[in-house]
Amino acid sequence: MAGNSDLTVPVSISAGIHIGFIVILALGISFEDKPKQMQTAAASAPAVQAIVIDQQKVNDRVEQLKKQKQDVAKQEKARQAELERKASEARREREREQEKIKTLEIQRKQKEQETQKANDAAKAAQAKQVLEKERADKAEVVRKQKEQEQKASEDAAKKAAEKRKQEEAAAKKAQEERQRADDERKRKEDAERKRKAEADTKARQEREMAEAMAAEQDSLSKTRNKQVLSEVDKYKAMIIATIQRNLVVDESMRGKSCRVFIRLASDGFVTTSQTLDGDQVVCRAAKASINKAGRLPVSPEPAVYQQLKEINLTVSPEFN
């Protein structure tokens, strides 16, 4: 700004000289015609006055231009100051933004660390929960095993006590039966001895009668045995037919067989079935057929049933 002030005076002087020169030219003043001007000096007094007035205008104009230049300089200075202020404000704003970014970055890192710590803590807690659950599960398994063992022990003790009671009751009943048998035997012996004397006279007759009855019974027994054997064969065939009816066969069984043992209740219910020997496939099919049947045909005749209650059979698959 000091440099601008130093230029103001020369510029003003130069402007004044140029303006004065322009005014002289406009008025038609000639420096070569001095004697004539001197002669007409009195006549041109109004012109001089006009020149003075115009010089005032020039000075005013110079002042106006000077003031305008000063105003422009002030405005430029104000503009530069405003630019510097805005630049400073922008710089401070950038610094604030950078500081804010740094603060946010620090907060972000702190947040990440806190999140990582929280995740680590959560993982540790989860792992602890898993471990505790595994321990609890193992403890529960051990507890259940102990409960089962205790229950099994209690059941075994209960069964042993029941068995002991049954054995004691059976022994007591057997003892009572033996005692009754002994009493009965003694009673019979006593009665026999009493009757012996009376029976001696009838013994021979009774022996003769017994021999006759034995001969007759032997004859009847032979006839009965034939009938029983015929019934046994019939029911044995019915049993085999029942097994064949429930037997599931395939070509791999052709020409093969299996021997089975069967134990039957009086109503035909199969209480035991065992394979003795033969083809394994046929044996499995035969046992499955017997189990499926559940009951097999039996005779209501006790003698026939006695022959069939435990039997060995040979099962051979039949193909149509």
Side-chain angles (χ1 to χ4, degrees), residues 20-33 37 47-48 51:
F21 184 71
I22 292 168
V23 169
I24 292 170
L25 290 177
L27 295 176
I29 299 173
S30 176
F31 293 97
E32 295 178 355
D33 198 9
Q37 283 184 340
V48 173
I51 291 172

Side-chain angles (χ1 to χ4, degrees), residues 305-316:
Y305 167 71
Q306 288 298 323
Q307 295 291 325
L308 295 173
K309 67 179 182 180
E310 292 183 356
I311 57 173
N312 292 333
L313 298 174
T314 299
V315 179
S316 299

Side-chain angles (χ1 to χ4, degrees), residues 41-60:
S44 59
V48 173
Q49 186 178 3
I51 291 172
V52 173
I53 294 172
D54 290 337
Q55 182 63 43
Q56 183 63 38
K57 290 181 179 180
V58 170
N59 291 337
D60 292 341

Side-chain angles (χ1 to χ4, degrees), residues 140-156:
E140 181 65 14
V141 170
V142 172
R143 184 186 66 78
K144 289 183 178 179
Q145 289 178 346
K146 289 183 178 179
E147 286 183 354
Q148 291 175 353
E149 292 173 357
Q150 183 178 358
K151 188 175 184 302
S153 178
E154 292 174 353
D155 292 341

Side-chain angles (χ1 to χ4, degrees), residues 213-275:
M213 290 178 65
E216 184 179 359
Q217 183 66 32
D218 184 60
S219 177
L220 293 173
S221 178
K222 288 180 180 180
T223 303
R224 177 62 178 166
N225 285 338
K226 289 181 180 180
Q227 293 176 350
V228 169
L229 290 175
S230 177
E231 286 292 308
V232 167
D233 291 339
K234 182 179 75 173
Y235 276 93
K236 186 180 290 186
M238 293 171 64
I239 290 172
I240 293 175
T242 301
I243 295 172
Q244 289 286 356
R245 187 166 53 252
N246 293 312
L247 189 67
V248 178
V249 299
D250 58 48
E251 285 297 326
S252 66
M253 301 179 184
R254 187 179 293 274
K256 299 176 183 178
S257 62
C258 177
R259 289 180 63 248
V260 296
F261 167 76
I262 303 174
R263 181 179 288 116
L264 300 174
S266 59
D267 60 351
F269 181 76
V270 179
T271 60
T272 303
S273 65
Q274 296 177 350
T275 58

